């Protein structure tokens, strides 16, 4: 078109409508506590291509809301409290996010008015790879924690959690079962949506090959003993080849520092194998525009005092 002197039309932004509303958590520890939810037109993680994303957010909550987009760089219009001010109850905001890098990101609504009384659930946002990765399945596991009072209400992160019990959900459920066929390659996107706790994960009976960390490509490596550690808000993309015998059940065990608990499992089906042999180890993801090596010769070093009276902390 440019060679013929014809105008080149810009690609229209993909639209995303988000609705924040009151809801309930899936039954956990015998309770269904009221929480605040983010909703879209379709259930499950949001999957969009690279390019501009036109976001419309409607606030149906009784308190202001502001979102934190973890993993989307170069989008000052979406920075909480600087680019985006809290949206009042009944309000609506529209803005455009430039999605220049593929990867796993998290929409967090934890930056809320502390007087609200209810914690908020996050949402996974997947910026698709171009071209798509060679996997048979692409699953998201969004892990979130909740602190429940004896009356069944959940405590907002940052408030006193004394006397509460911890409940955990994966994709909004108290347990998750992932079925797999023999020699099927799965991409599991683990997201720590907890506002207050790092988590350790162990995937039994399978080699876990880490491919990306916090949405950015990593040099692929096998996780030792199938174990992963995620800080709050962190994301890890891992490839798992389902090579276990049909009928095998492999637990995904989480440890939060107090003890282990099973939050999900991989169940091998009796269906016909996807292929006669496992796929060879996957190569590294494309660089996503990052340099192969960072030149640190001209890097600036800054020493930050940990003195609680230091001005930068205030």
């Amino acid at each position: 078109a440019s060679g013929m002197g014809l105008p080149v039309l810009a690609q229209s932004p993909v639209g995303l409508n988000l609705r924040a509303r009151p809801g309930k958590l899936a039954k956990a520890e015998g309770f269904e506590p009221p929480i605040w939810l983010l909703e879209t037109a379709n259930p499950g993680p949001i999957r969009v291509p690279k390019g501009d994303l036109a976001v419309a957010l409607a606030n149906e909550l009784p308190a202001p809301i502001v979102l934190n987009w973890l993993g989307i760089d170069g989008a000052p219009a979406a920075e909480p409290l600087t680019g985006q001010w809290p949206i009042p109850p009944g309000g609506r905001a529209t803005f455009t996010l430039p999605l220049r890098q593929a990867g796993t990101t998290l929409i967090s609504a934890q930056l809320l008015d502390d007087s609200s009384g209810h914690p908020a659930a996050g949402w996974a946002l997947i910026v698709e790879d171009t071209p798509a990765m060679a996997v048979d399945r692409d699953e998201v596991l969004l892990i979130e924690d909740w602190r429940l009072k004896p009356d069944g209400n959940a405590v907002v992160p940052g408030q006193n959690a004394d006397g509460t019990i911890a409940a955990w959900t994966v994709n909004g459920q108290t347990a998750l079962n992932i079925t797999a066929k023999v020699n099927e390659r799965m991409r599991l996107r683990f997201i720590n949506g907890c506002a207050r706790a790092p988590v350790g994960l162990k995937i039994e009976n399978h080699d876990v090959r880490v491919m990306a960390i916090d949405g950015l490509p990593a040099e692929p490596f096998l996780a030792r003993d199938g174990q992963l550690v995620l800080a709050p808000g962190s994301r890890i993309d891992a490839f798992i080849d389902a090579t276990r015998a049909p009928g095998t059940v492999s637990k995904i065990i989480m440890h939060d520092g107090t003890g282990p608990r099973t939050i999900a499992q991989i169940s091998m089906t009796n269906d016909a194998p996807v292929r006669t042999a496992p796929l060879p180890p996957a190569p590294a993801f494309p660089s996503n525009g990052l340099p192969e090596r960072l030149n640190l010769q001209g890097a600036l070093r800054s020493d930050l005092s940990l003195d609680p009276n230091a001005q930068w902390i205030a």
Side-chain angles (χ1 to χ4, degrees), residues 83-240:
Q84 281 291 318
W85 292 102
I87 304 171
R92 182 179 176 88
T94 58
F95 51 91
T96 300
L97 293 178
L99 306 179
R100 303 295 180 246
Q101 298 176 335
T104 305
T105 66
L106 172 65
I107 307 174
S108 170
Q110 297 294 354
L111 294 176
L112 298 168
D113 181 357
D114 285 342
S115 64
S116 66
H118 300 310
W123 204 280
L125 173 64
I126 309 303
V127 184
E128 299 283 16
D129 301 283
T130 307
M133 296 293 109
V135 295
D136 302 304
R137 296 266 300 281
D138 189 328
E139 299 281 351
V140 173
L141 288 84
L142 173 57
I143 303 166
E144 296 178 286
D145 67 332
W146 314 89
R147 297 297 193 270
L148 305 181
K149 296 189 292 186
D151 62 3
N153 286 311
V155 175
V156 175
Q159 292 184 346
N160 187 354
D162 291 346
T164 62
I165 57 175
W168 302 81
T169 58
V170 181
N171 299 346
Q173 307 172 43
T174 54
L176 185 67
N177 182 46
I178 301 171
T179 58
K181 301 176 183 178
V182 174
N183 293 331
E184 185 175 24
R185 172 162 288 177
M186 298 181 292
R187 177 178 184 169
L188 301 185
R189 303 175 187 253
F190 296 97
I191 304 176
N192 182 358
C194 306
R196 49 170 81 81
V199 297
L201 299 175
K202 178 176 176 60
I203 298 90
E204 292 183 333
N205 304 325
H206 291 283
D207 288 337
V208 180
R209 183 173 294 273
V210 175
M211 302 297 295
I213 300 174
D214 290 340
L216 296 177
E219 183 177 344
F221 65 92
L222 287 177
R224 181 179 299 177
D225 297 327
Q227 298 181 72
L228 306 171
V229 178
L230 294 94
S234 185
R235 293 90 60 207
I236 291 180
D237 292 30
F239 280 8
I240 292 179

